[in-house]
Amino acid sequence: MEMERFDSIVIGAGHAGCEAALALSRTGNKTLLLTISLDAIAFLACNPSIGGTAKGQLVGEIDALGGEMGINADKTAIQIRMLNRGKGPAVQSLRAQADKNAYHQEMKKTLEKQPNLFVRQGEADSIGIDGEDKIVTTHLGLKYVAKSIVLATGVYLKSEIIIGKSRESVGPNGFKNSSNLSESLKKLGLKLLRFKTGTPVRLHARSVDYDQMQIQLGDEDVRPFSYMSDKQPENKTVCYLTYTTPLTHEIIKNNLDKAPAISGEIKGVGPRYCPSIETKIVRFADKERHQLFLEPEALDTQEMYLQGFSTSMPSELQLDMVRSCVGLGHAEIMRDAYAIEYDCIDPTELCPTLELKTIKGLFFAGQINGTSGYEEAAAQGIIAGINASLYNQGKEQLVLKRSDGYIGVLIDDIVTKGTNEPYRMMTSRAEYRLLLRQDNADLRLTEIGRKVGLVSDERYARLQEKKKKMQEIDQKLQKLAKIDQKLINFCEENGENLPKENVKFRELLKRNNIDIFKLDKEFDLFDESDKPYLDFVNTEIKYEGYLKQQQEDVEKMLSNEKTIIPENFDYTKTKGLRDEAVEKLNKIRPLNIGQASRISGVSPADIAVLSILIKKK
């Protein structure tokens, strides 16, 4: 049998692989999506949710570029909430409980219906390079060849599930793992790291005493993730808040010798911001209790996910630990919690395009790059897919800047600084987060998605409609509010001083106690068709001064980004650079002075020397 030829091959059909494969096929590439199991496509292996703090922004950006995650989350959401509503708009993020089974099924349907995309079950055993051709050989000896490859293998590389003293060579949820691809990557010259993550127990819904817990309802007035979704997701279920108890902590402390995460039996590095319950008890020894959230996995199952209770303790201890928590005295465990160790690469070996520095046309996306989370994976997947497509066409690849979006921050962080633990996106990592809100992702990124050929006509038309509506709303706010009894009463009711003269409604909107909805109610300024856009305009005007300041900061940063470092620049022959800076710069090979300034170990003095030399050349 002759090798079947494709334009691109995507290895892995998790959240990164799905976005990469769709981006490639939708931009005209004949694409093979190779996955160990068709049943694991877009599988929510850990928490049954999409979005969350900073992650909601990622989903919005994926959607704005022409991706699928937001659309699929809206289709399958069973509860939706806006997090951090009491805080400023820079940190507000959408989060949805997704129906775990429906999410997988809907994404699988989308892939199967996509023209140019061929979905195939099979384990990739090795990758060979023959000039521009990349050859993938499966465990059954089948060979496929393509110009570009996207590796999106998730946590499946030589993965091991750990529960107490039990170690099993499988992937998440007991799916088959990838046993040979790690060795193939080593032969290609990649350095592999060993990371660890975990997932909590699943409990039977009938065994929970909900009366002892606090109910967590969804929001009824938030927009969906996707700009393409016309219907707001329905809240079809509820979640619950509960807590550990002193007895929980006592059980764990008395059995730390049986905890692989504590005893050193697990060698992989775990996530700092999502630790196991035993790690939390040790790290925060003085804390009397820890929050836990009980979340339904899907509408067609009784399984409940105990968020915050990740552990690798022996199975028999897990039951004692769970039953010591508030409302879980009679809990029935349906699936044990476990830790999983897996191989990943050092992401500093990648360009900001997610292409391997040493092999053109070989791209990496998702947890294989040392990140954690569905949203982080999907964000890398769409960028890797876009850039593999541009590589196939011989066009300049896409690099998103830190000022373009959270995706730009994520990729810049991992390829410039690397990571010594599973990387998680947080709002604090984005220095321009007021500019990078969830509600303006389309204004920031849809033009870019259109330029690379991924944004459909319908999506682009919706962006133009939004721009038009915003202009119309702004024009209506330019009208003068005359000083009359109506305005006097309005200012008094809202605790604001009366203006000294007639003033534009736009200026009134900047006052602390007045928002666009109050203005509309009192002065009837807007039409029904304006309503979906009012909240966005309200934020833009309220924070106008801060937004202007952040934009000025961006301009200063971009001046450094414009100073390009030649690809073959020899740092070893550069006088004035410290040895550590030379070593780090040689390893990362930054594209510009801006990226060089963010490398750990490169000082401002090194950047000053480098800038002078680059400008001279």
Side-chain angles (χ1 to χ4, degrees), residues 576-577 593 597 602-615:
L577 289 179
I593 292 295
S597 69
V602 178
S603 70
D606 295 319
I607 293 300
V609 171
L610 193 58
S611 296
I612 293 168
L613 289 168
I614 296 295
K615 286 171 184 174

Side-chain angles (χ1 to χ4, degrees), residues 510-544:
K510 294 180 181 179
R511 298 194 173 197
N512 288 338
N513 299 321
I514 297 174
D515 63 33
I516 201 164
F517 304 102
K518 289 179 180 178
L519 285 176
D520 183 39
K521 184 178 179 181
E522 185 67 29
F523 299 99
D524 194 25
L525 296 174
F526 306 109
D527 305 326
E528 195 62 35
S529 62
D530 295 330
K531 298 294 169 65
Y533 308 98
L534 294 185
D535 195 38
F536 175 82
V537 175
N538 187 66
T539 300
E540 287 285 304
I541 295 176
K542 283 274 185 194
Y543 290 87
E544 196 170 48

Side-chain angles (χ1 to χ4, degrees), residues 347-396:
T348 61
E349 296 190 21
L350 303 175
C351 303
T353 59
L354 297 180
E355 184 180 35
L356 191 65
K357 291 172 182 173
T358 54
I359 302 175
K360 299 298 181 186
L362 192 57
F363 297 82
F364 291 76
Q367 287 185 266
I368 191 174
N369 290 345
T371 59
S372 69
Y374 311 141
E375 302 81 3
E376 289 89 339
Q380 294 168 71
I382 195 169
I383 297 300
I386 288 170
N387 281 328
S389 178
L390 293 170
Y391 171 81
N392 289 349
Q393 300 170 61
K395 294 181 179 179
E396 182 182 355

Side-chain angles (χ1 to χ4, degrees), residues 10 32 39 46 69 77 140 144 151 203 244 248 263 364 384 424 439 480 505 547 565 594:
V10 178
L32 172 67
D39 298 324
C46 197
M69 177 173 264
L140 297 177
Y144 304 102
L151 277 105
L203 307 177
T244 60
T248 315
S263 67
F364 291 76
R424 178 180 180 179
D439 65 355
L480 286 177
F505 285 108
L547 289 166
I565 301 174

Side-chain angles (χ1 to χ4, degrees), residues 57 82-94 438 535:
Q57 280 87 332
M82 182 65 79
L83 304 186
N84 297 327
R85 271 197 147 176
K87 300 180 181 178
V91 295
Q92 292 176 7
S93 307
L94 205 58
Q438 188 164 340
D535 195 38

Side-chain angles (χ1 to χ4, degrees), residues 161-206:
I161 296 286
I162 303 159
I163 304 173
K165 292 192 176 296
S166 169
R167 275 185 176 262
E168 196 176 358
S169 293
V170 292
N173 211 50
F175 288 121
K176 186 177 185 290
N177 71 354
S178 174
S179 54
N180 297 321
L181 192 56
S182 287
E183 296 307 315
S184 180
L185 295 179
K186 285 180 185 177
K187 288 176 183 177
L188 292 175
L190 281 93
K191 174 188 174 184
L192 296 186
L193 310 174
R194 193 75 173 162
F195 277 5
K196 165 252 175 186
T197 186
T199 189
V201 293
R202 271 62 161 188
L203 307 177
H204 199 299
R206 71 184 175 200

Side-chain angles (χ1 to χ4, degrees), residues 576-593:
L577 289 179
R578 296 173 306 111
D579 290 345
E580 183 185 5
V582 170
E583 180 188 338
K584 295 290 180 68
L585 289 164
N586 264 328
K587 180 185 177 186
I588 305 298
R589 306 298 306 177
L591 300 181
N592 52 59
I593 292 295

Side-chain angles (χ1 to χ4, degrees), residues 369-439:
N369 290 345
T371 59
S372 69
Y374 311 141
E375 302 81 3
E376 289 89 339
Q380 294 168 71
I382 195 169
I383 297 300
I386 288 170
N387 281 328
S389 178
L390 293 170
Y391 171 81
N392 289 349
Q393 300 170 61
K395 294 181 179 179
E396 182 182 355
Q397 292 177 34
L398 172 66
V399 175
L400 289 183
K401 300 183 290 295
R402 297 180 74 88
S403 55
D404 289 328
Y406 274 71
I407 298 177
V409 175
L410 161 64
I411 294 174
D412 183 67
D413 275 354
I414 62 173
V415 303
T416 303
K417 303 172 185 175
T419 182
N420 56 9
E421 63 188 34
Y423 176 100
R424 178 180 180 179
M425 193 69 240
M426 295 179 290
T427 53
S428 59
R429 296 189 192 274
E431 57 269 48
Y432 311 117
R433 53 188 170 273
L434 188 56
L435 290 172
L436 309 181
R437 304 186 311 276
Q438 188 164 340
D439 65 355

